[in-house]
Amino acid sequence: MNIATIGVEEWLNVHEKSATVDIAQSTIASLTMDEILRLDGTDGAGFYEQLGCEKMNYGWIEGSPEFKDEVAGLYENVEPDNILQTNGATGANLLALMTLVEPGDHVIAEYPTYQPLYEIPRTLGAEVEYWHIREDLGWQPDIAELERLIRPDTKLICINNASNPLGTVLPRETLERIVEIARSVGAYVLSDEVYLPLEDTESFVSMADLYDRAVVTNSISKTYSVPAARIGWTVSNAEVADRIRTYRDYTLICGGIFNDALAVHVLRNRARILERNRSIVLGNRAIAQAWVDSEPRVRWVAPKGVSTSYIQFDIPMDDEEFCLKLLHERGVLLVPGGRFELPCGARLGYCAPEQTLREGLVRLSEALREFD
């Protein structure tokens, strides 16, 4: 199998450890273990007491009953038995695509977006057509284009809601139209929902609650600030879940006793995490918006309450060359837009710790002034 490298991951693997100011990541400022343990008011006593009684065997292969119950509580109409624990959302997407896509299938993928959502189907032998996200629509796709792309033999539609790296969210009416279009030909919909909007939450709806042939992927890495646990999940109907189980046995077996317990603890205390993270998202976005407003060489479509965003540059230089220069001369890490096949710009991880964000923006401004 010959698969393309993931542009953003290749960039981060090479460069993130050499940065002194990292404003490239899409996680909301990661929690420390001490912060996680303080969530329930016991300073970790309850967590470690329970963990101390556990044998360090494989544990619950698909995720513990407690884990499945906590994840089911994130949705309106999901059966715990149809939830399968995975190695982050990355593993969830891989398993879902391996399950659904066969050589010769017709797949429609939102583009540009998180690269595995279109590269994995292509590598599996599918014919992949792009459903383009458009800047003139505020980085939203045009539903009329999806209507033109759909075919009687379309097997799967892939969406990323909210979008990485653009930070835009598909409104409910768009999701309902996607369901209508998919249902008209019996297609599945894969919805990567690892970025949960933390504003206007009442208007957000998961594809899992709209369509029986949806497969939804998620994890505790981004919205819940614990990427270290490497715990994600798939949500699907029973028939698809049974098929995913087979691929899990080849790729994962289990998430591990400790990681499962950590994920349960995080999800059980998610209200406190979301309160903390909503403050970071809204506060840091205001800082970033003020900076964008003051920078003549920068523009963006402000992210809709999610932790990833995209800024565009008006500079006479390739964005990758500029980001390398910024890193080498000022220690600031961004991900160039070319790594997402986007126009000249960069992913801005504006949900870094506030002081990191402020320092990164100051140094970025200094670099941009060199073009004046």
Side-chain angles (χ1 to χ4, degrees):
M1 182 171 68
N2 184 20
I3 191 167
T5 59
I6 302 174
V8 57
E9 302 301 340
E10 182 183 42
W11 175 268
L12 292 173
N13 289 344
V14 172
H15 298 297
E16 65 182 341
K17 296 304 181 186
S18 60
T20 56
V21 181
D22 186 347
I23 52 172
Q25 309 299 334
S26 59
T27 294
I28 304 172
S30 295
L31 290 159
T32 67
M33 192 65 190
D34 284 345
E35 288 173 320
I36 293 169
L37 294 176
R38 286 197 295 267
L39 288 170
D40 66 356
T42 71
D43 287 332
F47 177 81
Y48 280 120
E49 181 180 355
Q50 176 186 348
L51 197 61
C53 299
E54 298 282 355
K55 290 185 177 180
M56 291 294 107
N57 54 23
Y58 286 102
W60 295 91
I61 297 301
E62 297 182 358
S64 66
E66 293 80 8
F67 172 80
K68 292 192 172 199
D69 285 343
E70 292 298 332
V71 172
L74 303 175
Y75 307 93
E76 296 178 6
N77 303 299
V78 169
E79 292 295 327
D81 193 49
N82 296 338
I83 296 164
L84 300 175
Q85 193 174 90
T86 65
N87 179 27
T90 299
N93 286 327
L94 176 63
L95 288 167
L97 291 165
M98 290 174 65
T99 298
L100 297 176
V101 178
E102 298 176 354
D105 283 344
H106 181 240
V107 173
I108 298 170
E110 208 177 10
Y111 175 88
T113 187
Y114 185 52
Q115 189 176 337
L117 296 179
Y118 52 87
E119 287 295 354
I120 293 175
R122 194 191 335 271
T123 302
L124 292 171
E127 176 192 353
V128 179
E129 290 194 87
Y130 292 150
W131 181 25
H132 294 87
I133 296 173
R134 291 172 44 182
E135 184 180 2
D136 64 323
L137 296 178
W139 292 126
Q140 292 280 336
D142 182 355
I143 199 71
E145 183 183 7
L146 180 61
E147 293 174 329
R148 292 192 296 271
L149 291 171
I150 201 75
R151 300 183 340 202
D153 64 341
T154 299
K155 181 73 166 295
L156 176 66
I157 300 168
C158 296
I159 62 174
N160 186 201
N161 194 30
S163 170
N164 177 20
L166 297 165
T168 50
V169 179
L170 296 174
R172 184 183 185 116
E173 54 267 29
T174 297
L175 297 176
E176 289 174 344
R177 287 293 294 123
I178 294 170
V179 170
E180 290 176 11
I181 293 166
R183 184 178 284 128
S184 71
V185 297
Y188 293 96
V189 176
L190 172 60
S191 182
D192 179 335
E193 296 176 359
V194 76
Y195 299 98
L196 174 70
L198 295 183
E199 63 178 348
D200 300 328
T201 55
E202 66 282 352
S203 65
F204 177 80
V205 61
S206 171
M207 185 60 75
D209 291 319
L210 293 178
Y211 189 37
D212 180 63
R213 291 174 75 84
V215 181
V216 166
T217 59
N218 206 332
S219 81
I220 65 169
S221 295
K222 307 296 185 180
T223 303
Y224 303 101
S225 300
V226 191
R230 304 312 307 133
I231 291 293
W233 58 87
T234 59
V235 173
S236 67
N237 63 33
E239 182 266 332
V240 171
D242 276 343
R243 291 165 58 193
I244 293 175
R245 285 181 171 96
T246 298
Y247 289 96
R248 282 187 81 261
D249 289 341
Y250 280 97
T251 59
L252 179 64
I253 302 299
C254 68
I257 293 285
F258 182 90
N259 289 342
D260 181 276
L262 182 57
V264 170
H265 183 79
V266 166
L267 291 171
R268 194 168 279 164
N269 293 282
R270 62 183 175 270
R272 291 179 180 173
I273 296 175
L274 294 179
E275 181 181 8
R276 175 242 193 205
N277 286 359
R278 186 173 293 108
S279 176
I280 293 172
V281 167
L282 300 183
N284 282 20
R285 187 181 62 185
I287 293 168
Q289 183 66 65
W291 176 80
V292 170
D293 291 343
S294 71
E295 275 298 337
R297 292 188 178 274
V298 175
R299 70 180 191 273
W300 75 347
V301 174
K304 302 299 184 182
V306 299
S307 59
T308 185
S309 68
Y310 192 73
I311 53 175
Q312 287 182 256
F313 297 137
D314 179 14
I315 57 175
M317 180 182 286
D318 172 77
D319 54 19
E320 184 148 337
E321 183 183 357
F322 174 71
C323 287
L324 281 172
K325 188 172 185 288
L326 181 69
L327 178 62
H328 294 155
E329 295 182 359
R330 291 179 168 83
V332 176
L333 183 68
L334 293 169
V335 181
R339 295 290 173 146
F340 295 97
E341 302 184 60
L342 283 165
C344 184
R347 184 172 76 180
L348 173 66
Y350 76 100
C351 289
E354 181 180 334
Q355 188 53 43
T356 300
L357 174 64
R358 288 186 182 277
E359 181 61 27
L361 295 179
V362 166
R363 298 187 192 189
L364 179 52
S365 287
E366 291 171 353
L368 291 169
R369 291 290 71 76
E370 294 183 0
F371 297 112
D372 293 343

